[in-house]
Amino acid sequence: MRRIAGLLVVPLAVLLAACSSGSSGSSGASPSGTPTAAEVPSPVASASPMPTVTGNFGTKATINLPEGQPSGQFVVSTVSEGDGATVAKGDWVTVNYTAKDWTTGKDLASSYDSGGKPQLYQAGNGQLVPAFDQSVVGKKVGSRLLVVAPPAAGFGSQGSSALNVGKDDTVVFVLDLMQSVPQDSTLSGTMTEPPPTAPQVKDNGKAAPTITIPAGQAPPTELQTYVLIKGDGKEVKAGQQLVVQYTGVTWADGKQFDSSWNHGGAQALQVGTGSLIKGWDQGLVGQTVGSRVELVVPPSLGYGDQASGSIPANSTLVFVIDILEAV
């Protein structure tokens, strides 16, 4: 059966680190040709020669390559510093990027190109190439970063056919750090109470809200959606990646069967594409970022007549979901 949430949507497959692919714990290069974690150099703030960058934060950058060959160092330089929150390891970050292959001089695909979109990923968790993974940790939201990624911080001796990066190429990225969401993020504010026939919700600050099933009330047979806190962010569209906190209980006994608050914090998932239960796809598309939403999901829009983990067959499910970001 499909997972309700916790579905990690990798933002850009070609940026996935393969550091552990085929590795047996040795300190040498992995069989895939991608550097192991031990081989990734620590970033420095500058090296010679250095590319220069023109253009404003939030727009596609122009990367100008200098004369001479790259130094081979992993460079993370702040072009312009933002005034937002400082990104910590594990935060969900939204990044726009421009890229150029220093070795060939060719421009590479950019999130600002037609059809491109910002990238959403967890900072510093080792899933993406170090040029993305490590560069944003400790930087402020609103910053533009110039990243020079030698093979050990980029695509190794394997390169990337998807990005047209050759083996052992040095790649230059300009990263615009658009947003960050800490894993312990949760929404606050005055909640609008649902009707008395619906499950009631008690806010618990940084802990999961408490959901109380109305005594003697039969569960609804259709999806019920209650906006407890109305966010003023952008509208959620089908196909977007969301960062959410959520908790869920079964109507029959009010017992919690899952909660992001209890296992790692904010989660990323893709909505409106069939990767989630139908109640989530139908109930979240059209909501706004910054909203806390209660969903009462009948079996027909949940797991139907099949059990899933601790959820019995034919269960009506009740969720409280904080929509923290949409990309």
Side-chain angles (χ1 to χ4, degrees), residues 149-164:
F155 302 100
S157 60
Q158 184 172 294
S160 170
S161 58
L163 280 179
N164 294 317

Side-chain angles (χ1 to χ4, degrees), residues 15-20 89 122-130 133-134:
L15 294 178
L16 277 175
C19 296
S20 61
K89 183 178 179 180
Q122 270 187 298
N125 73 348
Q127 281 202 310
L128 301 187
V129 296
D133 181 62
Q134 296 183 16

Side-chain angles (χ1 to χ4, degrees), residues 33 101 103-104 151 155-161 164-170:
D101 189 322
T103 305
T104 65
F155 302 100
S157 60
Q158 184 172 294
S160 170
S161 58
N164 294 317
V165 175
K167 56 177 294 186
D168 297 322
D169 284 6
T170 292

Side-chain angles (χ1 to χ4, degrees), residues 50-94:
M50 278 285 287
T52 58
V53 178
T54 56
N56 296 323
F57 175 89
T59 63
K60 186 173 182 178
T62 299
I63 301 171
N64 305 292
L65 298 176
E67 296 290 336
Q69 297 300 309
S71 67
Q73 292 182 286
F74 177 22
V75 181
V76 180
S77 175
T78 301
V79 178
S80 59
E81 186 173 53
D83 57 4
T86 299
V87 174
K89 183 178 179 180
D91 287 359
W92 289 98
V93 294
T94 304

Side-chain angles (χ1 to χ4, degrees), residues 30 67 132:
S30 66
E67 296 290 336
F132 273 64

